[in-house]
Amino acid sequence: MSLDLINLIVQSTWESLFMVATSALIATLFGLPLGIFLATSRKGELFAAPAVNSILGVVVNATRSTPFIILVVAIIPFTRLVAGTSIGSGAAIVPLTIAATPFIARLVEGAIREVDAGLIETASSFGASPLQVVFKVLIPEALPGLVLALTLAVVSLLGYSAMVGAVGGGGLGDLGIRYGYQRFMPDMMVAVVVVLIALVQTVQTVGDYLARRVNRRLRHR
């Protein structure tokens, strides 16, 4: 493989990392509070609003059930409105964020619901406000699960970032399609797959390590 192709792989890897990191950060900023609200807004819970909970649940489920490649194409006008274009790694952040936000929200909801209800009742009985319960009980107790949830979300985003290359999103997926598929260069396709596997393995290893560290701290408090 020539030096020019190696440089292309390095550049495309950085584009993919940029897309994934940015969309993961934005999706977490939206998905984390959304997931907490979904986990605490049913009837009789901290922020009881069952009607709003049901509506948000439908929206989240509808977005999650839409195949990603269809979502990318369907929101092209919105992507152009936000990013000024529908191609390139910058534009790809828009559909990646929209796809990841409900996914993260459901993962966060599951992690929060794993917290022992007795801890919530105890904190409330001592006069803690709903927000204090969230920040001092729910999030700290659910932290290992939240770390694993965000790890899973980043791994999924790496896969999505490869798919978005099919519609000019840039990154490793675009490189694999333009060179590996359209120019019949199997060695380039193999290189792209190897890099993606390495990135996924790295993210999963780091996420598992952080979750174990957080879990140990909780046990030794």
Side-chain angles (χ1 to χ4, degrees):
M1 186 176 291
S2 69
L3 182 60
D4 289 339
L5 292 180
I6 293 175
N7 288 335
L8 279 174
I9 292 174
V10 172
Q11 180 183 348
S12 297
T13 300
W14 281 113
E15 287 180 0
S16 291
L17 290 174
F18 168 72
M19 289 189 291
V20 170
T22 306
S23 56
L25 176 61
I26 299 173
T28 300
L29 291 176
F30 287 103
L32 182 61
L34 178 58
I36 292 173
F37 181 77
L38 287 172
T40 58
S41 58
R42 292 179 183 174
K43 186 177 180 180
E45 294 182 332
L46 287 175
F47 303 99
V52 178
N53 182 289
S54 297
I55 294 171
L56 286 176
V58 170
V59 174
V60 167
N61 290 338
T63 307
R64 285 187 61 202
S65 62
T66 304
F68 179 68
I69 195 67
I70 294 177
L71 176 68
V72 172
V73 175
I75 66 169
I76 283 178
F78 179 71
T79 301
R80 286 200 187 110
L81 179 65
V82 174
T85 179
S86 61
I87 59 175
S89 55
I93 292 171
V94 178
L96 286 172
T97 301
I98 292 176
T101 298
F103 183 60
I104 290 175
R106 283 302 188 195
L107 292 174
V108 169
E109 180 188 8
I112 293 296
R113 290 197 178 278
E114 289 294 319
V115 176
D116 186 357
L119 294 174
I120 302 174
E121 294 174 1
T122 301
S124 298
S125 68
F126 279 104
S129 67
L131 285 178
Q132 287 176 322
V133 172
V134 168
F135 288 106
K136 294 185 177 181
V137 177
L138 291 179
I139 292 180
E141 291 295 326
L143 200 53
L146 292 175
V147 172
L148 290 176
L150 294 178
T151 300
L152 178 58
V154 173
V155 168
S156 299
L157 278 171
L158 282 168
Y160 288 160
S161 71
M163 281 191 284
V164 84
V167 288
L172 290 167
D174 180 60
L175 183 67
I177 290 172
R178 284 192 297 113
Y179 286 83
Y181 178 70
Q182 294 177 348
R183 300 189 186 185
F184 304 102
M185 298 174 64
D187 55 336
M188 179 61 80
M189 186 69 77
V190 170
V192 167
V193 172
V194 169
V195 172
L196 283 171
I197 291 174
L199 290 175
V200 168
Q201 188 62 44
T202 301
V203 170
Q204 190 65 60
T205 301
V206 172
D208 290 343
Y209 170 76
L210 292 176
R212 287 195 300 270
R213 286 290 300 271
V214 171
N215 200 25
R216 281 198 213 103
R217 289 179 183 176
L218 285 177
R219 289 180 179 178
H220 291 89
R221 283 191 309 185

